Amino acid sequence: MTLESLSTPAALIDVARMNHNIERMQQRMNTLGVSFRPHVKTTKCEQVVKAQMDAGARGITVSTLKEAEQFFVSGIRDIVYAVGMAPPKLPRALALRRQGCDLKIVADSVACAEAIVAFGREHNERFEVWIEVDVDGHRSGIAPGDDTLLAVATVLSEGGMHVGGVLAHAGSSYDYDANEELVRIAEQERSGCVRAAERIRAAGLPCDVVSIGSTPTALAAEHLEGVTEVRAGVYVMFDLVMHNVGVNDTSEIALSVLTTVIGHQSEKGWAIVDAGWMAMSRDRGTQRQKRDFGYGLVCLESGEVLGEYLMSSANQEHGIVSRSGTPDREIEQRFPIGTRLRILPNHACATGAQHPAYQALSADGSVEAWPRFYGW
Amino acid sequence: MTLESLSTPAALIDVARMNHNIERMQQRMNTLGVSFRPHVKTTKCEQVVKAQMDAGARGITVSTLKEAEQFFVSGIRDIVYAVGMAPPKLPRALALRRQGCDLKIVADSVACAEAIVAFGREHNERFEVWIEVDVDGHRSGIAPGDDTLLAVATVLSEGGMHVGGVLAHAGSSYDYDANEELVRIAEQERSGCVRAAERIRAAGLPCDVVSIGSTPTALAAEHLEGVTEVRAGVYVMFDLVMHNVGVNDTSEIALSVLTTVIGHQSEKGWAIVDAGWMAMSRDRGTQRQKRDFGYGLVCLESGEVLGEYLMSSANQEHGIVSRSGTPDREIEQRFPIGTRLRILPNHACATGAQHPAYQALSADGSVEAWPRFYGW
């Protein structure tokens, strides 16, 4: 297959850019002296994850047990399920471990730890549990100075479970766009997570792993003393949200949606395309950032960025492409019916999830379908 | 299966509510004296569409050729593909017609009409084409008074194609929340589309079908003189956007996402649940409406609405449930870990699309998986 033979809309991966992104992150982790554990929620795609592992990643991070199950089948044993464990999901986690998967689960409360202990004892399973640490008030986790941290570790340890480590995610890093802020958040993530580990160790409990990460902090951290591994996901594709945060150029965005012009409203300067929010996702992550890209930034089919043209609006299977500022009343001549465009997405995780497969475009012009899965 | 045995997150359909919604719309169409052609993009689910057909629908509307292909396989012949035809997709449309599908395609430009004529002649196929009419400046289509309408009809007719009718969608109806406004938009949709048909007929060309529709206008129209059929999609589930528009009560919303509480930040009044934007979609359609429901309105597992609790924020697999106004510092006791909640969605089309299957909950408490498909 070639680019020209693809039906639209299609989720296109520029394989050279993807490999550049993988190499960039892995090199950085090597320099910082930590293991790298990519978050596979971004792509849920075997070929992408294989490229990440081949470049030097050690183990993966997942956001659902389905990801754990699928990637275990494709040969990956070392998996962290980085969402707080819902007690009813323990049987699925147990089934994975019994099949030989080195699955780590996460807890951030005494109630959750007690549920894990009760279930683990009942089934004679010593679960490895990582305790989630809250370093920025973003979402889940226990603050490093909160004694709940020690209570959870104690419940797990005394209950016969294995306290494997601590894990933090500085999700608030997405809210900034200046390097000095990212450096500050990265240091806050590092020091908070290390402090939590030290408190657990000081209480005489084990805590081998100190796991942190988000794409912006992974790229901004000045040192990672005390950290053993980093997790990041969206870096493999990058996107417009990350571009606004300041960690990638638009020329590094590896994911785009290929679309065809199907109509115009010339008076308004609109071209209508056959990719709407179903193909782009409803993610409007750039809405409150320094530049709002609407539903995406328009490129020619070749990939050349047309800086002024955005997908300014979207319905389910219709997108409206228009020029920022003054309407382009010659848009019908510029992009006649049948013209193919690529749209760079706001958020690669959300856009990828709308598609059953990626179309991987190699430098030689060939295209290969890389399936991705969804659901829970 | 029962509600209790479901793993979370899950897209739950309350079958009694769905049947009520189907009956309500079909009765209304019967009273108005028009055919009803549901838009199946909302659910892409065989069981739901069968219920719509069994209640009296005649044919279906689709937003992708994949929907046409799948529903043709399941026995539906009369299908309108209601997105402007991209010329490269004509071979797929031809393949469907050659298999016996009565597929209608859509054009709103001379360029598109010419491409259809050229391809139709080349393959000796007389495509049935409906011309898209723009009644509210919302998206695609030709204004009823624009002579392009006659030019397109002439190109198609002289080129040997079958001008089957005109089609309009008053998408701007979603922007209102007062019944008198909906009545006005419905009348504008009706009269604009009828006028377009009359102009085509006055030019000596055929135009049998006058097809209009959106959920709000279908429910608000006072009469449909000159209209032959109505299309609507989201009415089958309803959602919070439609609730804000004023066409359904929250007790009529048939789709919800079942989720489990996995943690808390008690100081902030947050419960963390295992449904994030991957399960709800990124659709924030209520953001600019009279009430912003965040990522959804929280109900007990039984379906009882808790009017003050919203999913106020979402990450990929984490949702934050909180009370509107003052934080609920007793939220940990109110919704302990393991509590199951249902979240009513902003937009049923977008939320459904995130799930490989619906879980259909019948009045007797039994649950059946109803698969849905995705992709193009």
Side-chain angles (χ1 to χ4, degrees):
Chain A
M1 287 220 299
T2 62
L3 186 58
E4 292 68 33
S5 66
L6 288 176
S7 184
T8 57
L12 210 61
I13 290 179
D14 181 316
V15 176
R17 290 184 183 187
M18 178 191 87
N19 287 332
H20 158 85
N21 297 340
I22 290 172
E23 195 61 25
R24 176 181 168 199
M25 182 63 83
Q26 188 64 53
Q27 284 297 328
R28 204 177 144 70
M29 295 302 107
N30 295 348
T31 304
L32 288 164
V34 292
S35 283
F36 182 56
R37 182 188 291 280
H39 205 318
V40 302
K41 76 182 179 76
T42 301
T43 66
K44 305 192 187 191
C45 171
E46 198 170 321
Q47 289 87 342
V48 175
V49 174
K50 182 174 185 309
Q52 293 170 305
M53 301 303 284
D54 287 350
R58 297 195 203 153
I60 60 172
T61 313
V62 300
S63 70
T64 62
L65 286 175
K66 178 149 181 182
E67 290 160 57
E69 289 157 356
Q70 298 267 332
F71 285 106
F72 177 63
V73 166
S74 62
I76 297 175
R77 281 189 71 243
D78 179 358
I79 301 177
V80 175
Y81 170 43
V83 175
M85 195 68 205
K89 289 177 183 160
L90 283 164
R92 278 175 80 181
L94 177 66
L96 272 165
R97 288 179 63 88
R98 291 279 156 91
Q99 290 167 62
C101 179
D102 181 17
L103 180 73
K104 273 75 76 167
I105 61 176
V106 165
D108 74 348
S109 67
V110 169
C112 180
E114 286 173 345
I116 294 168
V117 165
F119 184 87
R121 282 182 160 170
E122 190 186 342
H123 295 87
N124 201 24
E125 179 70 24
R126 186 168 180 250
F127 283 102
E128 178 171 347
V129 186
W130 292 9
I131 301 175
E132 188 168 3
V133 178
D134 177 14
V135 291
D136 61 355
H138 172 62
R139 186 170 72 196
S140 303
I142 307 166
D146 187 332
D147 284 343
T148 306
L149 189 70
L150 304 181
V152 170
T154 303
V155 166
L156 289 168
S157 192
E158 292 183 351
M161 302 299 115
H162 173 204
V163 178
V166 287
L167 160 149
H169 166 62
S172 66
S173 62
Y174 284 42
D175 300 337
Y176 298 95
D177 58 17
N179 187 59
E180 63 270 24
E181 294 284 8
L182 298 180
V183 169
R184 183 180 63 74
I185 299 289
E187 174 54 18
Q188 182 177 310
E189 183 184 43
R190 184 203 69 79
S191 61
C193 202
V194 169
R195 182 178 170 216
E198 285 169 349
R199 290 189 69 218
I200 292 171
R201 291 172 192 147
L205 296 166
C207 185
D208 286 344
V209 173
V210 179
S211 175
I212 62 163
S214 73
T215 288
T217 54
L219 293 170
E222 294 187 324
H223 74 91
L224 290 177
E225 205 180 313
V227 168
T228 66
E229 67 162 41
V230 168
R231 310 176 324 279
V234 76
Y235 81 93
V236 70
M237 296 293 149
F238 283 128
D239 54 29
L240 295 168
V241 164
M242 286 296 114
H243 172 64
N244 270 335
V245 169
V247 295
N248 65 273
D249 190 74
T250 56
S251 66
E252 294 176 295
I253 299 176
L255 179 66
S256 62
V257 172
L258 186 68
T259 185
T260 303
V261 174
I262 59 170
H264 304 89
Q265 297 288 4
S266 295
E267 288 293 303
K268 297 173 182 163
W270 292 356
I272 315 286
V273 297
D274 71 349
W277 58 253
M278 189 61 81
M280 298 307 303
S281 91
R282 268 292 196 198
D283 200 296
R284 289 280 291 100
T286 59
Q287 190 173 20
R288 286 186 298 182
Q289 289 187 306
K290 62 183 174 188
R291 182 171 176 196
D292 182 352
F293 287 98
Y295 283 88
L297 179 61
V298 177
C299 310
L300 297 180
E301 185 176 13
S302 65
E304 184 191 327
V305 174
L306 302 171
E308 292 184 302
Y309 291 85
L310 302 180
M311 184 182 285
S312 50
S313 177
N315 297 130
Q316 188 159 337
E317 297 290 347
H318 296 81
I320 296 177
V321 164
S322 62
R323 187 165 64 190
S324 307
T326 51
D328 177 4
R329 299 231 161 68
E330 291 173 0
I331 200 160
E332 190 167 348
Q333 290 72 50
R334 193 177 312 277
F335 304 135
I337 284 179
T339 303
R340 282 150 70 106
L341 301 169
R342 286 196 217 178
I343 317 292
L344 300 178
N346 285 321
H347 188 179
C349 307
T351 301
Q354 304 298 108
H355 295 262
Y358 294 110
Q359 304 297 331
L361 173 65
S362 293
D364 66 4
S366 67
V367 173
E368 194 177 84
W370 288 359
R372 53 165 293 152
F373 59 89
Y374 75 141
W376 288 270
Chain B
M1 288 223 296
T2 62
L3 185 58
E4 292 68 33
S5 65
L6 289 175
S7 184
T8 58
L12 210 61
I13 290 179
D14 181 316
V15 176
R17 289 184 183 186
M18 177 191 88
N19 287 331
H20 158 85
N21 297 341
I22 290 172
E23 193 62 25
R24 176 182 168 198
M25 182 64 83
Q26 187 64 52
Q27 284 296 328
R28 203 174 144 72
M29 296 300 106
N30 295 348
T31 304
L32 288 165
V34 291
S35 283
F36 182 58
R37 181 188 292 279
H39 205 318
V40 301
K41 76 182 178 78
T42 301
T43 66
K44 306 193 187 190
C45 171
E46 198 171 321
Q47 289 88 342
V48 174
V49 174
K50 183 174 185 306
Q52 292 170 305
M53 301 304 283
D54 288 350
R58 297 195 202 153
I60 60 170
T61 313
V62 299
S63 70
T64 62
L65 286 175
K66 177 146 183 185
E67 291 161 57
E69 290 158 354
Q70 297 267 334
F71 284 108
F72 178 64
V73 166
S74 61
I76 297 175
R77 281 190 70 243
D78 179 359
I79 301 177
V80 175
Y81 171 42
V83 175
M85 195 69 206
K89 290 179 183 157
L90 284 163
R92 279 176 80 181
L94 177 66
L96 273 166
R97 288 179 64 88
R98 289 280 156 89
Q99 291 167 60
C101 179
D102 181 17
L103 180 73
K104 274 75 74 167
I105 60 176
V106 165
D108 74 348
S109 68
V110 169
C112 180
E114 286 173 346
I116 293 168
V117 165
F119 184 87
R121 282 181 160 170
E122 189 187 341
H123 294 88
N124 201 26
E125 179 70 27
R126 186 168 182 251
F127 282 103
E128 179 171 347
V129 185
W130 293 9
I131 301 174
E132 188 168 5
V133 178
D134 177 14
V135 292
D136 61 353
H138 172 63
R139 185 170 72 197
S140 303
I142 307 166
D146 186 333
D147 285 343
T148 306
L149 191 69
L150 305 180
V152 170
T154 303
V155 165
L156 289 168
S157 192
E158 291 183 352
M161 301 299 115
H162 173 204
V163 178
V166 286
L167 160 149
H169 165 62
S172 65
S173 63
Y174 283 42
D175 300 337
Y176 298 95
D177 59 16
N179 187 59
E180 63 269 23
E181 294 284 7
L182 298 181
V183 169
R184 182 180 63 74
I185 298 289
E187 174 54 18
Q188 182 177 311
E189 183 184 43
R190 183 203 69 80
S191 62
C193 202
V194 168
R195 183 178 169 217
E198 285 169 350
R199 289 188 69 217
I200 292 170
R201 290 172 192 147
L205 295 165
C207 186
D208 287 344
V209 173
V210 179
S211 176
I212 62 164
S214 73
T215 288
T217 55
L219 293 170
E222 294 187 323
H223 75 90
L224 290 177
E225 206 180 312
V227 168
T228 66
E229 67 162 40
V230 167
R231 309 177 324 280
V234 76
Y235 81 92
V236 71
M237 295 294 148
F238 284 127
D239 54 28
L240 295 169
V241 165
M242 286 295 115
H243 172 64
N244 271 336
V245 169
V247 296
N248 66 272
D249 190 75
T250 56
S251 66
E252 294 175 295
I253 299 176
L255 179 66
S256 61
V257 172
L258 186 68
T259 186
T260 303
V261 174
I262 58 170
H264 303 89
Q265 296 286 6
S266 295
E267 288 292 302
K268 297 172 180 163
W270 291 357
I272 315 285
V273 298
D274 71 349
W277 58 252
M278 189 61 83
M280 298 308 302
S281 90
R282 269 290 197 197
D283 200 298
R284 289 281 291 105
T286 60
Q287 191 174 19
R288 287 187 297 183
Q289 289 188 306
K290 64 183 172 187
R291 182 171 176 196
D292 182 351
F293 286 99
Y295 283 88
L297 179 61
V298 177
C299 310
L300 296 179
E301 185 175 12
S302 65
E304 185 191 327
V305 174
L306 301 171
E308 291 184 304
Y309 291 85
L310 302 180
M311 184 183 285
S312 50
S313 178
N315 297 130
Q316 188 159 337
E317 297 291 347
H318 296 82
I320 295 178
V321 164
S322 61
R323 188 165 66 190
S324 307
T326 49
D328 177 4
R329 297 226 164 70
E330 292 172 0
I331 201 160
E332 190 167 348
Q333 290 73 49
R334 194 177 310 278
F335 305 134
I337 284 180
T339 303
R340 281 149 70 106
L341 301 168
R342 287 196 217 178
I343 317 291
L344 299 179
N346 285 321
H347 187 179
C349 307
T351 301
Q354 304 298 108
H355 296 261
Y358 294 110
Q359 304 298 330
L361 173 65
S362 293
D364 66 4
S366 67
V367 172
E368 194 178 84
W370 289 357
R372 53 165 294 151
F373 59 90
Y374 75 140
W376 289 271

